[in-house]
C-alpha cells in the first residue's frame, strides 16, 4: 500500500484547497454518475441482476478455497504456471524472479490496482528493469510520478491543460491540450514500447474457476497488446477476484461497466486461457498467474468479509461527498473512497490507516449505487468499533467521548456545560452565526458557519411553557 508521510488531516486540507482538482473531479464524477443511471435503465430489471450478482459474489467468497484450487488446476491444465504470494514482498520476489530468469529488460503493464497495492513498479525498477505503464491514465500518472487517484480513472483529478504541460515537460513535445492530440502523442510513444517489450504484466478483472480463463476489461486495447505481444505474460490478481463459471462472468459483466463508466460493456473484454498453443500464430510463450493474498485471508475470517465481494467499479467513489471534496490522494492509499476506507485499514493495518474509517459522512449513497449492494456504511461503523476496541481512535475522538460520557452521567455538569456553551457561542456570534471558531474547532467554520446555542435549553423552555397559562384557559 502507498504509505502516507503526512497526516490524513493535512492531506484533506490540501485537497479541500485545490480548486482546480475539485472542479475536474466534480465534472468527471458527476458525468459518471449520470451515465450510470442511464445505462442501468437499459438493463431489464437491473435490481434483479444486482441481487443475483450479489448472491453469486457472496457464495463465491464463502467457498473461496474450493474455487481457488479449481482455478489453479485449470490454469495449469491450459499450460500456465500458478504462483501463490502470501504477501506483497513475496509477489514482488516471484515476478522479479520470472523476469530475471528470462533475461527480461523491458516490461509493459496494463492497468492493475493490485500491482499498485504491492508497489510492484518500484520493486522491478530497483532490480534494474524498465517498467512502462500503457493505460493512458496510468501512463500520465507515471510521468507525473503520482499514484492513481481513482480506481478506474487514475488521473481523474487532472485537467487537459495540466496534462498538456506535463507532456511538454516530460516528452519534449509542443504544448497542446486537445484530448485527441494528447492521446496521439501517447500512442506514438507507447507504440515502440509495445513492440520491444519482453514481458507484459496485467491485472485480472475476474478469473473463471471452471475454465482457468482470465478476463481483462479495458477501454483502450492496451491490455490485449500487453498480454499478447511480449513473449511472457504475467497476470496478477487478488485471490478474491474469481467467479465460478462463464455464466457467472456474464452476470457480473452486465453490471461492471454500467456501474463504472455508464457503458453497457467496456470496449475491450479479453478472455485469455493459457499461453500460445503450438498451432497458434501469435501470443505469449509463457503465462504466469500470481495469486496475491496480502491480508485477504484474514479479512475472510472477519465480520468485514463482505468487502471482498467488491468488483472494483468505482461507483461508490463517484457519489461520495467526501471523495468528491478531498480527492483520491487525500486517502494516502491505493484504494480511495468508501471502499478504500474499509479495505485499506484491513490490508495495511489499523495503526497507519485506522482513521480512514472516519473519512465518511455515512450518508449511504455508496450503498445505494454499489452493484453488489455492499453495506459500506455498516462496514465503516464496524471498523470504527474495531478501531475503538483496539485502542486506535483519534485523540480528539477519545477525549471528546470521555468528556461527553462524563457530562451525560452527571446532569448538573451537563446543564452547566450547556449554559457555558450558550453564553460562549453567543459572545462569538454575529446575527446568530459564528463565522470562525478557535483552535481545532476551526475545521467546522472553515467550510460553513456554526449556529450560536439558544439562550435557553429545551428543558428550560419546556418548563416555562408548562408554567405559563395556555391562551384561552385563563
Amino acid at each position: 500500500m502507498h504509505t502516507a508521510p503526512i497526516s490524513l488531516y493535512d492531506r484533506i486540507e490540501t485537497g479541500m484547497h485545490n480548486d482546480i482538482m475539485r472542479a475536474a473531479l466534480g465534472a468527471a464524477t458527476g458525468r459518471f454518475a449520470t451515465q450510470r443511471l442511464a445505462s442501468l435503465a437499459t438493463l431489464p430489471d437491473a435490481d434483479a441482476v444486482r441481487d443475483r450478482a450479489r448472491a453469486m459474489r457472496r457464495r463465491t467468497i464463502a467457498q473461496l478455497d474450493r474455487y481457488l484450487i479449481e482455478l489453479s488446476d485449470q490454469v495449469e491444465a491450459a499450460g500456465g504456471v500458478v504462483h501463490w504470494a502470501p504477501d506483497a514482498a513475496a509477489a514482488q520476489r516471484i515476478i522479479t524472479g520470472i523476469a530475471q530468469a528470462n533475461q527480461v529488460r523491458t516490461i509493459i503493464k496494463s492497468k492493475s490496482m493490485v500491482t499498485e497495492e504491492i508497489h510492484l513498479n518500484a520493486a522491478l525498477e530497483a532490480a534494474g528493469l524498465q517498467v512502462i505503464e500503457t493505460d493512458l491514465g496510468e501512463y500520465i500518472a507515471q510521468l507525473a510520478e503520482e499514484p492513481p487517484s481513482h480506481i478506474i480513472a487514475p488521473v481523474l483529478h487532472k485537467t487537459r491543460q495540466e496534462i498538456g504541460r506535463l507532456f511538454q515537460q516530460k516528452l519534449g513535445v509542443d504544448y497542446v491540450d486537445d484530448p485527441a492530440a494528447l492521446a496521439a502523442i501517447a500512442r506514438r510513444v507507447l507504440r515502440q514500447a509495445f513492440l520491444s517489450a519482453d514481458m507484459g504484466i496485467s491485472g485480472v478483472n475476474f478469473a473463471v474457476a471452471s475454465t482457468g480463463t482470465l478476463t481483462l476489461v479495458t477501454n483502450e486495447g492496451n491490455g490485449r497488446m500487453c498480454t499478447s505481444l511480449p513473449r511472457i505474460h504475467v497476470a496478477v490478481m487478488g485471490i478474491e477476484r474469481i467467479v465460478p463459471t462463464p455464466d457467472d462472468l456474464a452476470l457480473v459483466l452486465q453490471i461492471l461497466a454500467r456501474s463504472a463508466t455508464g457503458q453497457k460493456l467496456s470496449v475491450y473484454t479479453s478472455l485469455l486461457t493459457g499461453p500460445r498453443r503450438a498451432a497458434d500464430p501469435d501470443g505469449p510463450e509463457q503465462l504466469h498467474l500470481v495469486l496475491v493474498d496480502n491480508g485477504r485471508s484474514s479479512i475472510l475470517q472477519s465480520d468485514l468479509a463482505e468487502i471482498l465481494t467488491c468488483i472494483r467499479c468505482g461507483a461508490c467513489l463517484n457519489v461520495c461527498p467526501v471523495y468528491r471534496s478531498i480527492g483520491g490522494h487525500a486517502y494516502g492509499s491505493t484504494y480511495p473512497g468508501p471502499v478504500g476506507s474499509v479495505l485499506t485499514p484491513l490490508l495495511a493495518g489499523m495503526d497507519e490507516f485506522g482513521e480512514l474509517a472516519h473519512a465518511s459522512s455515512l450518508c449511504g449513497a455508496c450503498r445505494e449505487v454499489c452493484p453488489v449492494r455492499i453495506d459500506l456504511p455498516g462496514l465503516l461503523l464496524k471498523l470504527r468499533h474495531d478501531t475503538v476496541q483496539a485502542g486506535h481512535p483519534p485523540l480528539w475522538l477519545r477525549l471528546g467521548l470521555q468528556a461527553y460520557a462524563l457530562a451525560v452521567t452527571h446532569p448538573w455538569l451537563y446543564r452547566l456545560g450547556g449554559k457555558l456553551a450558550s453564553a460562549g457561542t453567543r459572545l462569538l456570534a454575529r446575527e446568530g452565526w459564528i463565522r470562525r471558531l478557535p483552535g481545532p474547532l476551526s475545521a467546522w467554520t472553515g467550510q460553513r458557519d456554526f449556529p450560536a446555542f439558544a439562550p435557553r435549553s429545551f428543558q428550560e423552555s419546556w418548563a416555562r411553557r408548562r408554567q405559563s397559562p395556555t391562551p384561552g384557559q385563563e
Side-chain angles (χ1 to χ4, degrees):
M1 306 294 289
H2 176 65
T3 54
I6 57 176
S7 73
L8 171 64
Y9 294 96
D10 286 340
R11 297 195 302 271
I12 289 174
E13 191 74 18
T14 300
M16 293 287 290
H17 288 89
N18 189 337
D19 292 336
I20 294 176
M21 179 274 291
R22 294 183 65 190
L25 205 59
T29 55
R31 187 170 61 251
F32 280 157
T34 302
Q35 290 171 346
R36 169 189 168 273
L37 288 173
S39 182
L40 281 176
T42 66
L43 190 63
D45 204 351
D47 282 342
V49 176
R50 291 172 66 188
D51 288 340
R52 292 201 302 275
R54 172 180 171 80
M56 182 273 291
R57 289 295 291 152
R58 290 178 69 88
R59 184 176 67 250
T60 305
I61 295 301
Q63 303 177 67
L64 191 56
D65 52 348
R66 166 195 160 190
Y67 290 121
L68 282 170
I69 293 172
E70 185 178 1
L71 172 67
S72 175
D73 291 344
Q74 292 301 319
V75 169
E76 292 185 341
V81 182
V82 177
H83 307 264
W84 299 82
D87 53 32
Q92 293 173 1
R93 284 195 302 274
I94 290 167
I95 299 167
T96 303
I98 295 169
Q100 292 173 335
N102 288 279
Q103 292 81 48
V104 168
R105 291 181 298 176
T106 304
I107 298 171
I108 52 175
K109 280 185 69 217
S110 68
K111 185 176 175 302
S112 162
M113 294 306 291
V114 72
T115 61
E116 294 284 344
E117 174 191 321
I118 64 174
H119 299 294
L120 181 60
N121 285 15
L124 293 172
E125 288 167 355
L129 299 160
Q130 183 185 19
V131 183
I132 303 168
E133 297 284 352
T134 62
D135 172 89
L136 181 57
E138 290 282 355
Y139 179 62
I140 294 168
Q142 187 179 35
L143 288 178
E145 301 179 16
E146 294 177 355
S149 68
H150 190 282
I151 288 176
I152 63 164
V155 290
L156 198 68
H157 59 289
K158 284 192 177 300
T159 64
R160 56 191 171 89
Q161 290 81 10
E162 289 177 315
I163 297 169
R165 288 191 289 273
L166 179 69
F167 277 19
Q168 183 184 33
Q169 177 190 356
K170 296 287 185 174
L171 302 179
V173 297
D174 293 337
Y175 171 82
V176 292
D177 59 19
D178 175 61
L182 291 168
I185 293 171
R187 183 181 296 115
R188 187 170 62 249
V189 173
L190 292 174
R191 181 67 59 181
Q192 186 57 41
F194 282 125
L195 296 174
S196 62
D198 307 298
M199 176 188 284
I201 295 178
S202 74
V204 178
N205 288 90
F206 295 102
V208 182
S210 65
T211 62
T213 301
L214 310 180
T215 308
L216 269 65
V217 178
T218 72
N219 273 318
E220 299 175 15
N222 65 303
R224 187 60 177 149
M225 297 175 78
C226 284
T227 59
S228 59
L229 288 178
R231 55 190 170 89
I232 303 164
H233 172 208
V234 177
V236 189
M237 64 174 273
I239 57 174
E240 81 281 18
R241 307 306 302 276
I242 193 168
V243 293
T245 68
D247 287 343
D248 294 319
L249 174 65
L251 172 64
V252 78
L253 287 178
Q254 290 185 70
I255 54 173
L256 176 60
R258 283 181 166 89
S259 301
T261 56
Q263 297 165 281
K264 292 181 180 177
L265 197 64
S266 294
V267 177
Y268 298 91
T269 301
S270 302
L271 306 180
L272 314 170
T273 307
R276 178 172 63 188
R277 277 73 162 175
D280 289 344
D282 52 27
E285 299 166 4
Q286 301 177 31
L287 167 66
H288 298 264
L289 174 63
V290 182
L291 296 166
V292 179
D293 187 321
N294 203 33
R296 289 164 173 79
S297 293
S298 297
I299 299 174
L300 190 60
Q301 299 170 33
S302 74
D303 59 357
L304 298 162
E306 184 181 357
I307 195 63
L308 295 177
T309 63
C310 173
I311 62 172
R312 302 289 192 275
C313 66
C316 60
L317 280 67
N318 300 334
V319 298
C320 176
V322 175
Y323 174 85
R324 294 176 65 161
S325 296
I326 66 177
H329 291 162
Y331 291 81
S333 73
T334 299
Y335 303 105
V339 63
S341 293
V342 176
L343 192 59
T344 303
L346 297 176
L347 292 178
M350 293 288 194
D351 287 343
E352 188 173 358
F353 291 101
E355 60 187 352
L356 281 182
H358 301 274
S360 169
S361 66
L362 300 179
C363 68
C366 50
R367 179 175 51 207
E368 293 298 316
V369 301
C370 178
V372 290
R373 304 188 190 280
I374 298 175
D375 182 13
L376 284 161
L379 295 181
L380 285 166
L381 285 173
K382 287 181 182 177
L383 199 56
R384 290 181 186 184
H385 176 265
D386 290 348
T387 61
V388 171
Q389 293 300 309
H392 295 299
L395 179 63
W396 64 268
L397 185 59
R398 288 204 305 272
L399 296 178
L401 288 177
Q402 287 172 7
Y404 179 75
L406 185 65
V408 298
T409 53
H410 297 80
W412 68 269
L413 187 58
Y414 185 85
R415 287 193 293 271
L416 176 61
K419 288 183 179 300
L420 291 175
S422 174
T425 55
R426 282 185 289 124
L427 279 176
L428 294 172
R430 296 290 181 274
E431 299 179 349
W433 292 92
I434 300 172
R435 268 62 175 182
R436 180 179 298 176
L437 284 168
L441 299 177
S442 63
W444 179 287
T445 50
Q447 299 298 320
R448 53 208 182 281
D449 295 340
F450 188 84
F453 280 39
R456 290 189 296 273
S457 70
F458 173 79
Q459 285 185 332
E460 290 171 335
S461 298
W462 183 253
R464 286 194 175 205
R465 179 174 178 174
R466 288 175 65 90
Q467 290 171 1
S468 301
T470 304
Q473 293 181 350
E474 296 181 79

